[in-house]
Amino acid sequence: MNPRPADLEIASTLWDYLRLEQPVKPADWILVFGGHDLGVARRAAELYHDGVAKRVLVSGGALNVPDGSNATTEAEAIAEVLIDSGIPEHGLAIERLASNTSENFWLSAELLRDLGEDPQAFLVVQKPYAERRTLATARRRWPNKDVRLTSEHVSFADYLAGPIPTQRILSMLAGEVIRLENYAHSGLIEIDEPVPIEHVQAARHLRDAGFDRRAETATPVAVLSLNSRSSM
């Protein structure tokens, strides 16, 4: 399906809303959350080499291994890029089971405890459009930690011109906004203000136009992830 100009205009508005563009500050650990987009690996490598943190934890299971990678998990695919960039293996910790953002936080906390680490400040590297929901998840999962978000520096136009299909990108944007509203209402996440109704309507427009691959409601798995597991 080829999006209409009006669809792209709506998607651009959602892109701007979902990104936070927080200033980067030094952290104890860089956390890289997995998925289909290896832009998180490039951004994490840049931050590491800039001296933002000395340790990197990569979290992600087998659900959305990036296209073209021979790795069996998202985390391993990202770790390969980080190592190729010059990050030493002893500077990496790898969590290979998480299947959603709540599990990224929970299982990362478990791994850090196993390593005898109790860091207080984190810089999480996410996909650009997942920043807002990830920070809202952090408020719920790690309320006593200093968590900031960052992502690859890329414009919406350049992201569309990249390797990820446009239909998938628009579906992800619609799904992010719909999830943000649904998860906030269910208590899965803690947002600082309600999702503006115009953005919810825009996301539903994209979903109803056929960009619905990710535009579903909260799942029982996500609810279970929150209710059955401890915070850090």
Side-chain angles (χ1 to χ4, degrees):
M1 174 186 299
N2 293 320
R4 300 171 300 173
D7 297 328
L8 293 174
E9 184 176 352
I10 289 171
S12 178
T13 299
L14 298 184
W15 172 274
D16 291 341
Y17 168 68
L18 292 166
R19 299 195 70 179
L20 299 174
E21 299 191 73
Q22 293 183 316
V24 170
K25 298 197 310 183
D28 299 322
W29 282 76
I30 294 169
L31 266 59
V32 191
F33 288 176
H36 64 277
D37 184 357
L38 284 175
V40 296
R42 294 187 291 271
R43 177 62 171 152
E46 175 185 272
L47 293 164
Y48 177 88
H49 291 300
D50 284 346
V52 172
K54 295 180 179 179
R55 303 292 300 277
V56 181
L57 191 158
V58 186
S59 172
L63 189 61
N64 288 296
V65 177
D67 292 342
S69 173
N70 293 321
T72 57
T73 67
E74 301 159 10
E76 289 166 335
I78 292 167
E80 288 176 357
V81 176
L82 297 179
I83 292 168
D84 287 345
S85 79
I87 297 178
E89 291 190 42
H90 63 76
L92 292 175
I94 303 177
E95 184 288 301
R96 299 174 173 87
L97 298 176
S99 61
N100 56 56
T101 305
S102 185
E103 290 186 354
N104 286 135
F105 281 109
W106 172 64
L107 293 170
S108 294
E110 292 293 309
L111 178 54
L112 289 168
R113 274 194 282 264
D114 289 345
L115 294 172
E117 297 275 344
D118 186 23
Q120 300 301 308
F122 297 89
L123 183 62
V124 178
V125 183
Q126 254 288 20
K127 297 175 288 295
Y129 52 80
E131 287 186 5
R132 186 174 292 272
R133 180 174 54 83
T134 302
L135 184 60
T137 306
R139 291 194 186 106
R140 176 66 69 189
R141 302 295 288 163
W142 290 2
N144 300 318
K145 301 295 183 180
D146 179 6
V147 179
R148 300 181 73 81
L149 265 292
T150 190
S151 63
E152 187 176 25
H153 290 320
V154 59
S155 69
F156 181 57
D158 287 343
Y159 200 76
L160 288 178
I164 302 171
T166 297
Q167 181 173 359
R168 184 172 191 176
I169 293 172
L170 267 62
S171 293
M172 299 299 284
L173 290 168
E176 279 293 318
V177 173
I178 291 171
R179 279 175 166 74
L180 196 62
E181 183 189 42
N182 290 341
Y183 289 1
H185 285 167
S186 66
L188 281 168
I189 61 177
E190 184 176 333
I191 57 176
D192 53 359
E193 60 185 15
V195 181
I197 185 61
E198 63 268 23
H199 293 327
V200 176
Q201 291 171 343
R204 290 172 179 166
H205 168 86
L206 290 180
R207 177 196 63 191
D208 294 344
F211 303 102
D212 55 1
R213 178 172 178 174
R214 288 278 293 174
E216 63 262 22
T217 58
T219 65
V221 171
V223 175
L224 179 63
S225 294
L226 177 71
N227 292 338
S228 64
R229 292 161 181 170
S230 61
S231 299
M232 188 173 187

